[in-house]
């Protein structure tokens, strides 16, 4: 993958010196001849610490012995949020420490072969997690949406063990310095609230689900192993360029061999060493869904490491999917493989009945089938990184991704201090490290709707954006704003303007007739001020499925359709100039905190929470397929066009 600012100078795709600045691996656990994987999905023992200070588990050291020995436990499915699984209202809204435990049976070779490295990987633990294995502390991690891991080889190879006990304590408390931020409000009026009563206050509009949201995995590598791979790509006429850099751990005396295989398993290029460039004549490019007759073409980069250690010969193998594509930005266009790309898609949430934010393959495939039915070619990971398996499917199906960090609800002045900034920078490092090799990821988003008119926010956003560009010069960077174009202090530093607006919803209630004027004013003001391409990153209306009124009234399906149609009239004018995308809010209804404005969650979805279509889904389907057909007709006149596959 590569990116360049298409104004006479380049970053990444053709210049090897623009490699990503990150080191230290977070490769997705894949099985290979040298690697094994054991998923720990299923039922875990669970307990919420209901003590007043939420510290009883630490005071009694619940991690030192099986959890059942210190009190009653519940069966809790992993992956899932713990909030909606049971019938306990106190657990649904619980804030504080919860404890998970699982006994994992280990293959004999893992515990006896000292040339085997055993790693424990947690895909997502929201929000702060502490991990013990057999009562020994092995890891801590802050942040609820990215993976972390620990080498537990010495613990499981220290004696005649056939299993290990994994204990994970998770705290979902949000503070002004977490990402996303929040505050704990203590209600001290004892005439209204019990002594010590508190609630979690947040400034974002989705439910703060918590727990082990993604798989917990044990996997192995040799003790000398491939630690990380970084790939950037470019195109020189019809030749694809695959720049690779490989990092190893355990020994400096290793040999690295790489092969690039096409989709039929044929070797199309090979090389040696930890750094180099593979050239692929007549390369098949990675194209977005509906932009090409053969979208989402993936090669396989096979990396083979061999070496000699004091314990004898060693070998490690890892295969990385690779898509060859470029990204560029002009003053008025977003280009993929040199062709204008128009984002027509959705914003999503990881959210569903019962599971909360828990990963579920059946739900994921349903969502991707709906995206393809809809004719959507893109989505934003609002408002946090999604599961790695989601990114893999986007690569596989050609769904373009704006990859967003959990920087949502940053509105308090104290959330712009140095402690918050340093954590934000760390989160961006973890996100880039995890998702850097996905061709579907074409842009990073560092925040959603920060108070970007505040002076401290200007420096804060400038720093995070600059840091992200330094981590990955191969992709453009943005943040999503709902500010006025005249006072936004972060906009000068982004590559693409992403704007959220809800005309005739959050103001001018019911007055659909003002949308076109207000939206046109918005676009013209932003472009006149910054001369950068613009994406309408959110727009929409709350709709209760089955509510109907004509003439349209708010909350009815007719009103949602009519509001979208008014937006589309202006979007069709401005996409001929400098608007490069539109993302509806939202793909599906989702859960929020309870309030009089939220009837069992946010109802702005074009699908219900159960993934059934509202009327607006059919409207958008007709529009998106029309946009896709226009794009393909204008870009590709025949099968011999360019270096396409």
């Amino acid at each position: 993958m590569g990116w360049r600012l298409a104004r006479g100078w380049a970053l990444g795709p053709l210049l090897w010196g623009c490699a990503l600045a990150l080191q230290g691996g977070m490769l997705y656990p894949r099985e290979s001849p040298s690697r094994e994987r054991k998923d720990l999905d299923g039922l875990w023992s669970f307990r919420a610490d209901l003590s007043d200070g939420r510290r009883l588990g630490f005071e009694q050291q619940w991690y030192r012995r099986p959890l059942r020995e210190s009190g009653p436990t519940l069966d809790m499915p992993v992956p899932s949020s713990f909030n909606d699984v049971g019938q306990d209202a106190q657990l649904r809204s619980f804030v504080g420490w919860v404890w998970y435990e699982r006994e994992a049976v280990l293959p004999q070779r893992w515990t006896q072969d000292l040339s085997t490295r055993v790693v424990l990987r947690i895909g997502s633990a929201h929000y702060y997690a502490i991990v013990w294995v057999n009562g020994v502390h092995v890891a801590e991690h802050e942040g609820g949406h990215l993976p972390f891991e620990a080498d537990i080889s010495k613990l499981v190879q220290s004696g005649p063990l056939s299993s290990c006990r994994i204990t994970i304590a998770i705290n979902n408390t949000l503070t002004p310095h977490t990402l996303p931020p929040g505050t704990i409000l203590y209600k001290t009026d004892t005439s209204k609230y019990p002594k010590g009563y508190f609630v979690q206050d947040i400034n974002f509009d989705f439910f703060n689900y918590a727990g082990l949201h993604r798989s917990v995995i044990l996997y192995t590598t040799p003790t000398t192993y491939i630690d990380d791979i970084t790939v950037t790509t470019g195109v020189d006429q019809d030749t694809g360029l695959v720049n690779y850099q490989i990092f190893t751990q355990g020994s400096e005396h290793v040999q690295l061999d790489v092969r690039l295989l096409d989709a039929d398993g044929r070797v199309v290029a090979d090389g040696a060493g930890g750094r180099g460039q593979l050239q692929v004549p007549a390369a098949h490019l990675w194209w977005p869904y509906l932009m090409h007759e053969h979208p989402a073409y993936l090669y396989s980069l096979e990396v083979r490491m061999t070496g000699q250690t004091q314990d004898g010969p060693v070998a490690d193998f890892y295969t990385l999917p690779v898509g060859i594509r470029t990204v560029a930005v002009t003053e008025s266009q977003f280009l993929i493989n040199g062709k204008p790309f128009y984002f027509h898609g959705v914003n999503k949430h990881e959210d569903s009945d019962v599971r909360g934010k828990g990963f579920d393959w059946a739900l994921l495939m349903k969502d991707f089938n709906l995206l393809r039915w809809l004719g959507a070619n893109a989505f934003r990971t609002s408002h946090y990184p999604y599961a790695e398996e989601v990114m893999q499917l986007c690569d596989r199906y050609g769904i373009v991704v704006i990859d967003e960090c959990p920087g949502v609800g940053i509105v308090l002045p104290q959330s712009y201090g140095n402690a918050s900034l340093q954590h934000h920078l760390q989160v961006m490092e973890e996100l880039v490290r995890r998702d850097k090799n996905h061709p579907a990821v074409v842009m990073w988003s560092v925040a959603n709707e920060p108070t970007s008119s505040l002076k401290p926010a200007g420096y804060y956003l400038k720093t995070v954006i600059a840091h992200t560009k330094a981590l990955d010069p191969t992709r453009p960077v943005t943040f999503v704003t709902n500010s006025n174009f005249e006072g936004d202090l972060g906009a000068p530093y982004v590559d693409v303007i992403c704007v959220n607006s809800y005309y005739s919803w959050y103001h001018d209630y019911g007055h659909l007739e003002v949308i076109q004027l207000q939206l046109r004013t918005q676009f013209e003001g932003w472009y006149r001020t910054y001369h950068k391409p613009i994406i309408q990153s959110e727009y929409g209306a709350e709709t209760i499925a089955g509510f109907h009124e004509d003439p349209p009234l708010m909350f009815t399906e007719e009103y949602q359709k009519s509001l979208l149609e008014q937006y589309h009239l202006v979007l069709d004018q401005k996409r001929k100039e400098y608007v490069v995308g539109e993302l509806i809010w939202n793909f599906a209804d989702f859960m929020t905190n309870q309030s009089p404005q939220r009837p069992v969650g946010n109802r702005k979805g074009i699908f219900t929470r159960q993934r059934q279509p509202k009327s607006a889904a059919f409207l958008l389907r007709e529009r998106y397929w029309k946009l896709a057909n226009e794009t393909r007709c204008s870009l590709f006149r025949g099968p011999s066009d360019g270096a396409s596959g």
Side-chain angles (χ1 to χ4, degrees):
M1 296 79 65
W3 173 63
R4 60 190 174 90
L5 189 64
R7 295 181 64 185
W9 57 286
L11 287 173
L14 303 180
L15 301 177
W16 171 244
C18 292
L20 290 139
L22 285 170
Q23 295 186 21
M26 192 54 70
L27 292 173
Y28 184 76
R30 300 180 187 276
E31 292 190 308
S32 76
S34 59
R35 297 177 175 228
E36 296 174 280
R37 165 175 166 155
K38 181 181 178 69
D39 288 54
L40 301 181
D41 294 354
L43 294 180
W44 287 53
S45 296
F46 174 91
R47 182 188 302 140
D49 187 340
L50 299 173
S51 62
D52 289 343
R54 305 293 198 252
R55 301 288 300 178
L56 187 63
F58 295 98
E59 293 167 1
Q60 297 184 350
Q61 299 182 333
W62 290 351
Y63 52 86
R64 287 204 175 275
R65 59 191 191 279
L67 199 57
R68 65 180 181 275
E69 295 183 9
S70 55
T73 62
L74 301 174
D75 288 334
M76 186 60 66
V78 173
S80 78
S81 302
F82 63 74
N83 309 81
D84 290 348
V85 173
Q87 298 301 108
D88 187 347
Q90 185 179 13
L91 186 59
R92 186 181 188 278
S93 57
F94 181 79
V95 178
W97 289 99
V98 298
W99 294 71
Y100 286 80
E101 181 189 86
R102 167 77 183 262
E103 194 85 14
V105 177
L106 302 175
Q108 189 177 61
R109 190 178 65 79
W110 292 19
T111 64
Q112 296 182 2
D113 183 356
L114 299 184
S115 65
T116 295
R117 173 175 167 264
V118 183
V119 181
L120 172 65
R121 181 186 178 102
I122 291 90
S124 169
H126 187 74
Y127 173 81
Y128 193 95
I130 307 175
V131 185
W132 298 264
V133 172
N134 295 334
V136 178
H137 175 272
V138 297
E140 293 190 28
H141 184 259
E142 180 177 358
H145 308 92
L146 291 164
F148 62 101
E149 57 187 31
D151 185 334
I152 64 169
S153 307
K154 292 181 179 179
L155 289 172
V156 301
Q157 295 169 352
S158 60
L161 295 175
S162 61
S163 64
C164 66
R165 180 170 46 84
I166 300 167
T167 308
I168 306 175
I170 302 174
N171 193 328
N172 63 345
T173 304
L174 301 179
T175 75
H177 307 302
T178 58
L179 210 64
T183 53
I184 296 295
L185 299 180
Y186 291 92
K187 306 289 189 176
T188 57
D189 186 343
T190 55
S191 69
K192 296 181 179 179
Y193 305 99
K195 183 180 179 181
Y197 190 85
F198 66 90
V199 294
Q200 173 79 73
D201 187 44
I202 55 177
N203 288 294
F204 52 85
D205 189 31
F206 54 92
F207 192 74
N208 188 37
Y209 280 113
L212 290 171
H213 287 155
R214 298 169 194 159
S215 293
V216 178
I217 297 168
L218 289 169
Y219 74 93
T220 67
T221 72
T223 50
T224 297
Y225 60 96
I226 299 163
D227 180 51
D228 196 21
I229 304 169
T230 296
V231 169
T232 60
T233 66
V235 179
D236 184 4
Q237 296 182 2
D238 71 339
T239 299
L241 307 176
V242 178
N243 304 308
Y244 66 87
Q245 191 167 11
I246 304 164
F247 298 92
T248 61
Q249 293 285 350
S251 174
E252 296 179 357
H253 306 291
V254 298
Q255 178 178 333
L256 289 165
D257 297 290
V258 299
R259 301 192 309 169
L260 191 70
L261 281 63
D262 65 16
D264 296 320
R266 294 186 294 258
V267 177
V268 296
D270 56 30
R275 182 180 178 126
Q277 183 182 86
L278 304 178
Q279 298 189 5
V280 186
H284 299 275
L285 301 188
W286 187 95
W287 290 100
Y289 175 53
L290 299 180
M291 194 176 177
H292 191 270
E293 60 184 343
H294 300 295
Y297 193 95
L298 292 174
Y299 292 87
S300 296
L301 183 71
E302 290 187 352
V303 179
R304 181 174 186 262
M305 182 212 75
T306 55
Q308 191 73 26
T309 69
Q310 61 183 9
D311 299 320
V314 63
D316 191 21
F317 306 88
Y318 191 88
T319 300
L320 180 74
V322 171
I324 300 175
R325 64 106 179 95
T326 63
V327 173
V329 174
T330 73
E331 285 190 353
S332 60
Q333 290 181 316
F334 196 101
L335 306 175
I336 294 181
N337 300 330
K339 303 289 187 179
F341 176 74
Y342 188 78
F343 296 77
H344 47 86
V346 303
N347 295 274
K348 291 183 89 277
H349 267 298
E350 290 186 319
D351 175 276
S352 66
D353 289 332
V354 184
R355 308 164 189 81
K357 291 194 179 302
F359 178 80
D360 181 273
W361 272 113
L363 179 73
L364 180 60
M365 286 312 306
K366 178 65 173 179
D367 283 0
F368 268 77
N369 287 330
L370 287 175
L371 287 171
R372 288 155 61 84
W373 173 85
L374 195 64
N377 64 6
F379 67 78
R380 175 168 63 119
T381 66
S382 47
H383 299 295
Y384 39 81
Y386 292 0
E388 293 164 278
E389 293 82 359
V390 176
M391 299 295 103
Q392 292 163 11
L393 279 188
C394 288
D395 293 341
R396 183 172 174 173
Y397 288 117
I399 304 298
V400 168
V401 177
I402 301 174
D403 206 350
E404 189 162 274
C405 85
V408 59
I410 312 177
V411 300
L412 300 173
Q414 57 265 46
S415 294
Y416 291 104
N418 189 59
S420 297
L421 176 59
Q422 294 307 313
H423 177 53
H424 202 144
L425 299 179
Q426 175 66 28
V427 169
M428 291 310 304
E429 289 182 13
E430 293 183 20
L431 176 57
V432 172
R433 179 181 289 112
R434 193 196 74 166
D435 289 349
K436 61 186 176 181
N437 292 322
H438 289 290
V441 176
V442 300
M443 186 158 55
W444 306 111
S445 172
V446 303
N448 178 75
E449 296 184 357
T451 47
S452 48
S453 58
L454 291 178
K455 188 174 181 180
Y459 171 78
Y460 184 102
L461 291 167
K462 176 183 177 182
T463 303
V464 176
I465 291 167
H467 184 68
T468 305
K469 290 183 177 182
L471 293 171
D472 180 9
T474 72
R475 291 176 176 88
V477 179
T478 190
F479 76 92
V480 179
T481 183
N482 62 350
S483 298
N484 188 285
F485 63 87
E486 294 173 326
D488 196 297
L489 300 177
Y493 309 109
V494 301
D495 301 301
V496 177
I497 302 290
C498 290
V499 186
N500 297 346
S501 59
Y502 289 91
Y503 301 123
S504 299
W505 186 258
Y506 288 123
H507 50 79
D508 297 307
Y509 315 131
H511 291 284
L512 297 168
E513 67 275 8
V514 304
I515 291 176
Q516 290 189 51
L517 174 60
Q518 294 180 4
L519 186 58
R520 195 176 297 112
T521 300
Q522 167 197 281
F523 286 144
E524 292 171 356
W526 279 103
Y527 192 73
R528 182 175 62 249
T529 306
Y530 298 105
H531 292 280
K532 296 177 180 181
I534 301 171
I535 295 175
Q536 182 68 47
S537 43
E538 289 183 25
Y539 72 108
E542 209 101 1
T543 305
I544 309 297
F547 277 29
H548 296 283
E549 290 286 344
D550 187 34
L553 299 181
M554 294 178 73
F555 294 98
T556 66
E557 296 192 38
E558 287 77 14
Y559 191 88
Q560 187 182 40
K561 281 184 60 179
S562 297
L563 185 145
L564 268 54
E565 287 170 337
Q566 292 299 308
Y567 266 81
H568 296 163
L569 290 171
V570 179
L571 287 165
D572 282 339
Q573 298 168 10
K574 297 304 181 182
R575 66 185 173 90
K576 299 173 183 176
E577 302 174 40
Y578 46 75
V579 170
V580 297
E582 56 192 74
L583 303 176
I584 189 70
W585 187 269
N586 192 282
F587 172 74
D589 295 345
F590 57 92
M591 190 53 64
T592 65
N593 275 359
Q594 297 184 71
S595 78
Q597 292 78 36
R598 290 288 178 259
V600 194
N602 187 306
R603 300 301 188 101
K604 291 190 181 71
I606 58 170
F607 297 98
T608 66
R609 201 180 190 209
Q610 295 73 37
R611 276 46 180 185
Q612 296 304 312
K614 304 176 188 178
S615 299
F618 297 96
L619 172 72
L620 276 182
R621 182 174 191 257
E622 181 179 357
R623 174 172 178 79
Y624 285 177
W625 278 97
K626 179 181 178 182
L627 289 172
N629 289 330
E630 287 179 6
T631 299
R632 288 184 61 179
C633 288
S634 64
L635 296 185
F636 299 103
R637 302 296 182 182
S640 62
D641 186 276
S644 57

